[in-house]
Amino acid sequence: MGRPTEQKATTASDPLKLVFPILLLVLQIVFVILFAFHSNYGHEPKTLNEHDLIAKISKMITATRQPAVYLPNGTIYEPTTVEDPVSVPHRGINDLYSMFQDIHVMIFIGFGFLMTFLKRYGYSAVGYNFLIAAFVLEWALLVRGYMFDFDTSTRQFPIDVERIIVADFVAAAILISFGALLGKTNPTQLIIMCIIEVALQSVNEWIGLRLFCAFDIGESMFVHVFGAYFGLAVSAVLYKTEKDDEEKEKPIYHSDLFSMIGTLFLFCFWPSFNGGVAAAGDSRLRAVVNTYISISASVLLTYICSNLFGKGKFEMVHIQNATLAGGVAIGTVADKIVYPAGALVVGSIAGSLSTVGFKYILPKLKKLKIHDTCGVNNLHGMPGLLAAIVGIILASMPAYSLHENNLLSSCFHGTHRTGLQQVGYQAATLGITLSIAIVGGLITGFILRLLENKNVLTYYDDDTYWDTPTDFHNDELENE
């Protein structure tokens, strides 16, 4: 038996369905024009031949402090010792492409399938994830190109493998926000949200990296905290109570299995996410090892807590999400000297905290009229806050935080800071991130309300905006 005829007619006449392709076509034309006038290829670093290598070593021997190598995401690599004369990273396709592939898989497969737990919203979860990510990659390259890399003499900005990695990071922030709104937004609203959020996220990161010069190599503040609390702020404005919501949000057996596909992809590739733009050498090694250990610890603590809370049974929502919290929580200090034992402690706390969030905090947020479909506060928000706190603590120990490697001449207090000053700037970065995310999310929410679908019966239902197969409408499927 099919869906009621009256509801089909209502959704079919939705004018927003006509707005979406027109809006997206206009934006794509604008993107083509901007890319044509202002973008160009970046350049691959040149491999040093023997003569150049000898000259470079000689120069380093005679100088006590070499010019810093500035990386597009704000990371600074600065060789300061004769013993480390040729460790300046080769930031090219050979050095970064394998990690880019891992991160790309996380964005399109990991995030996409993680959201497929809703029993009647699988097409939308994967499909909108695909749409948002592809749109954001183009828009983020433009926004960050003009904001971070624009050359006023050539009137162009470069695009290389490191910059497309950073565009993937921006996409991750927007997809986290999408997770909080999953099931309650239409495609037009999502595109509008992307336009606004990419701009705000980039401004926030520019302040954090160029002025405050905070370290956050795994983007726990700039991606996870920002994306989670921006999405929750939008959700608070769009909140509606519906009797059927609780039933519609329940998973079924195979939808939870699809979601676990996303979990396992994210788990396997998270070390690349946190280490992708770290400087080559020991810095990147630490980022990979710390993440590997921390995320493994969060898996074990999630199983422990889930079993205790469930009185001997595991809850799938915990296993799908909280197991990944260690990757978020170690992100800010992933490339720092926290030692394997430190990473183990951070991951253990994160897994426990996230599981507690899903069990006890998520229901309380709903009572406060903040709906969080995917539980992004528990997987991204709170572990991201934990990461920021760990970063603040580590900043007080310069021998372990190595914070001077992140300093620029544009930084407040210049290229020299005490550990106490860095503590202040790490805290200020967290504060400004939360402020821009929450205020920007509230404003965006009010804008999106002008474009919302008034028919709440269409929430969590693929049939609203997708051509669904006949078995989608079977009574048996609806009653599972």
Side-chain angles (χ1 to χ4, degrees):
M1 190 169 95
R3 304 285 284 173
T5 307
E6 295 78 18
Q7 183 175 328
K8 275 199 163 188
T10 303
T11 59
S13 60
D14 183 0
L16 291 176
K17 291 184 176 181
L18 297 177
V19 173
F20 170 73
I22 295 171
L23 172 65
L24 201 56
L25 179 61
V26 170
L27 289 170
Q28 187 67 8
I29 292 170
V30 171
F31 289 176
V32 169
I33 294 170
L34 293 177
F35 272 103
F37 280 99
H38 296 303
S39 70
N40 208 336
Y41 298 115
H43 295 288
E44 278 289 285
K46 294 179 180 178
T47 303
L48 295 175
N49 59 36
E50 187 176 346
H51 176 76
D52 294 331
L53 187 59
I54 292 172
K56 189 175 184 66
I57 293 173
S58 176
K59 182 180 178 182
M60 286 185 173
I61 290 173
T62 58
T64 58
R65 187 178 180 88
Q66 298 302 315
V69 177
Y70 173 66
L71 309 180
N73 79 317
T75 301
I76 306 302
Y77 184 84
E78 192 164 13
T80 57
T81 65
V82 175
E83 290 77 13
D84 188 28
V86 291
S87 302
V88 178
H90 182 87
R91 309 296 297 183
I93 196 80
N94 293 332
D95 187 46
L96 292 173
Y97 190 72
S98 61
M99 286 195 161
F100 161 70
Q101 286 179 307
D102 293 350
I103 296 166
H104 220 45
V105 167
M106 290 178 69
I107 299 302
F108 288 92
I109 299 179
F111 277 98
F113 277 92
L114 184 64
M115 299 184 195
T116 57
F117 62 93
L118 295 173
K119 59 186 176 182
R120 297 183 60 82
Y121 210 67
Y123 277 20
S124 300
V126 175
Y128 291 157
N129 186 94
F130 196 4
L131 168 68
I132 291 169
F135 177 81
V136 169
L137 296 186
E138 294 185 9
W139 179 224
L141 284 173
L142 286 169
V143 171
R144 293 186 66 93
Y146 289 123
M147 192 175 296
F148 284 79
D149 302 311
F150 191 70
D151 187 328
T152 54
S153 61
T154 63
R155 301 192 62 78
Q156 289 187 328
F157 56 84
I159 298 176
D160 57 22
V161 67
E162 188 162 358
R163 288 169 175 86
I164 64 177
I165 286 178
V166 174
D168 271 11
F169 285 168
V170 179
I174 281 65
L175 291 174
I176 291 166
S177 300
F178 170 53
L181 306 168
L182 189 70
K184 290 196 168 186
T185 46
N186 59 59
T188 305
Q189 287 177 306
L190 292 174
I191 294 299
I192 297 296
M193 185 185 79
C194 289
I195 294 171
I196 299 170
E197 188 175 0
V198 168
L200 292 177
Q201 193 273 346
S202 298
V203 168
N204 177 69
E205 195 163 346
W206 187 87
I207 294 171
L209 294 177
R210 293 292 180 86
L211 300 181
F212 295 168
C213 292
F215 54 80
D216 187 22
I217 197 67
E219 306 259 341
S220 292
M221 290 187 287
F222 300 133
V223 168
H224 298 285
V225 170
F226 188 94
Y229 293 109
F230 184 96
L232 290 172
V234 174
S235 179
V237 177
L238 297 180
Y239 184 87
K240 287 185 180 179
T241 54
E242 285 302 317
K243 294 180 181 178
D244 295 335
D245 274 3
E246 196 171 317
E247 184 61 33
K248 287 179 174 181
E249 286 188 78
K250 288 181 179 178
I252 52 179
Y253 190 76
H254 66 258
S255 67
D256 264 341
L257 283 177
F258 274 122
S259 184
M260 276 300 295
I261 294 172
T263 300
L264 295 174
F265 269 102
L266 289 170
F267 173 84
C268 291
F269 292 136
W270 213 294
S272 291
F273 191 91
N274 284 351
V277 292
D282 284 350
S283 178
R284 183 176 292 175
L285 173 64
R286 288 192 297 267
V288 170
V289 171
N290 287 336
T291 305
Y292 181 92
I293 293 172
S294 180
I295 200 168
S296 297
S298 66
V299 171
L300 300 187
L301 265 295
T302 297
Y303 274 91
I304 292 169
C305 292
S306 184
N307 188 265
L308 291 174
F309 297 156
K311 297 179 180 179
K313 287 192 173 184
F314 304 110
E315 204 167 325
M316 184 55 89
V317 66
H318 303 157
I319 309 307
Q320 290 162 345
N321 295 277
T323 51
L324 304 172
V328 178
I330 200 66
T332 296
V333 298
D335 62 333
K336 306 305 181 184
I337 303 173
V338 297
Y339 295 108
L344 203 67
V345 171
V346 171
S348 299
I349 296 172
S352 306
L353 179 66
S354 184
T355 311
V356 169
F358 276 101
K359 187 67 177 179
Y360 300 108
I361 298 176
L362 187 60
K364 293 186 183 300
L365 284 179
K366 197 164 187 179
K367 289 181 180 179
L368 295 173
K369 297 186 177 181
I370 302 174
H371 187 267
D372 184 2
T373 307
C374 288
V376 299
N377 179 58
N378 312 306
L379 171 54
H380 303 280
M382 294 192 300
L385 294 175
L386 174 60
I389 292 169
V390 173
I392 291 169
I393 295 170
L394 197 69
S396 65
M397 299 174 277
Y400 298 96
S401 71
L402 310 173
H403 70 263
E404 286 198 351
N405 290 352
N406 293 79
L407 300 182
L408 295 167
S409 57
S410 63
C411 300
F412 295 142
H413 283 97
T415 56
H416 295 281
R417 281 182 187 170
T418 65
L420 188 59
Q421 288 172 331
Q422 188 65 32
V423 166
Y425 284 115
Q426 290 292 135
T429 300
L430 176 60
I432 198 72
T433 297
L434 287 169
S435 300
I436 294 176
I438 293 171
V439 174
L442 291 173
I443 295 171
T444 303
F446 284 110
I447 294 172
L448 298 188
R449 285 185 68 171
L450 303 174
L451 300 165
E452 68 182 348
N453 190 329
K454 304 298 183 183
N455 184 2
V456 294
L457 295 176
T458 62
Y459 289 172
Y460 312 111
D461 197 326
D462 279 336
D463 197 42
T464 309
Y465 289 100
W466 294 87
D467 185 8
T468 52
T470 54
D471 62 359
F472 181 83
H473 307 287
N474 292 343
D475 287 337
E476 270 187 28
L477 181 62
E478 293 190 17
N479 294 326
E480 280 187 60

